[in-house]
Amino acid sequence: MSSLVLIRHGQASFGGPRYDALSEAGIAQSRAIGEWLRERGAAPTAVLHGPRRRHADTAAGLLSRAGLALRQELAPALDEFAEGEEVLDAAAALFGRPMTGAEAPPRGEQLRCYSAAYEAWSRGEIEIPGRASFTTFRGALRDWLRELTDAPGSASGQRIMAVTSAGVVAVAVCEVLGLPDARWSALVAVMQNASLTELQFSRGRCSLRSFNSTGHLPARLSSSI
């Protein structure tokens, strides 16, 4: 039996000039994962990350604090469905009002509109320009997950850690549990930064062991967006 631990990246810079950058809290969260690994003596056999800066920097932070000499490996399939700025732009179009800048709504309303936009996208009601549909997004992750879990050696006790984003983790959980598309957005909505979701797999079989765990983080580092 092998395991795949999907890590949501540390807190990014939502509402800032560039979403794809770890905040100070996000950097601390990535380091906390590494410290937890070092204390447990639970070294992974491989560390993968998606193509975004926040993915790579989270992986680098945890490897550094864990004292591991592993080389982090790029896995393009672990990319998120869209960037924060793109979802906010989709929300602006959906609600007919600015979502950033001086005319942006209060934070709580902004987040509600943000969530409504990615939910509408997942239902196929709106498009995010330049991005694939939800069906294509889920299908690509399904193919990657099957390739990984069907690969020779899948029963050899591998412990793979993969840094990605909430949308990808939620799709993986939907795939493993056989959940319909309509359940995806509810999983995204509760995802915590730097959380761990563990899948166990062997010879093409895959099951969910834990979801959205944050017990490795100090309480002061808990965050969701």
Side-chain angles (χ1 to χ4, degrees):
M1 186 71 72
S2 295
S3 69
L4 170 64
V5 179
L6 294 165
I7 305 171
R8 186 190 180 190
H9 59 78
Q11 185 185 62
S13 300
F14 181 83
R18 185 170 70 96
Y19 177 75
D20 190 26
L22 293 182
S23 67
E24 289 186 9
I27 294 169
Q29 288 164 345
S30 70
R31 293 170 176 170
I33 299 171
E35 290 165 3
W36 175 75
L37 286 172
R38 187 182 67 242
E39 290 167 2
R40 293 182 73 231
T45 56
V47 174
L48 314 179
H49 64 82
R52 302 296 159 180
R53 187 74 261 160
R54 61 190 182 276
H55 301 154
D57 287 350
T58 298
L62 73 87
L63 281 170
S64 175
R65 283 304 174 98
L68 297 172
L70 282 175
R71 181 177 63 87
Q72 56 192 75
E73 303 173 39
L74 173 64
L78 297 175
D79 197 9
E80 183 60 300
F81 64 92
E83 289 293 78
E85 300 95 326
E86 294 172 314
V87 180
L88 283 172
D89 287 345
L94 182 63
F95 290 96
R97 58 179 299 188
M99 288 291 149
T100 57
E103 298 180 87
R107 176 83 166 190
E109 185 178 351
Q110 182 191 43
L111 289 173
R112 285 192 294 274
C113 293
Y114 182 89
S115 297
Y118 68 67
E119 288 173 11
W121 168 79
S122 72
R123 294 191 297 264
E125 296 170 358
I126 65 171
E127 294 182 354
I128 299 178
R131 294 290 185 168
S133 67
F134 179 81
T135 300
T136 300
F137 173 65
R138 179 167 180 169
L141 197 281
R142 179 191 303 125
D143 292 345
W144 177 82
L145 194 58
R146 285 177 177 170
E147 182 178 353
L148 179 72
T149 57
D150 287 348
S154 63
S156 61
Q158 300 174 70
R159 182 172 172 81
I160 302 167
M161 303 194 82
V163 182
T164 182
S165 292
V168 173
V169 178
V171 162
V173 172
C174 285
E175 284 298 315
V176 171
L177 297 183
L179 300 178
D181 293 351
R183 300 291 298 276
W184 173 82
S185 60
L187 296 175
V188 174
V190 299
M191 201 86 62
Q192 297 289 297
N193 289 313
S195 64
L196 310 181
T197 294
E198 184 172 3
L199 309 180
Q200 289 190 323
F201 63 93
S202 177
R203 297 185 178 92
R205 294 175 298 169
C206 192
S207 59
L208 179 67
R209 185 177 183 189
S210 65
F211 169 65
N212 198 31
S213 171
T214 56
H216 54 289
L217 296 176
R220 63 182 174 81
L221 291 180
S222 177
S223 64
S224 60
I225 190 72

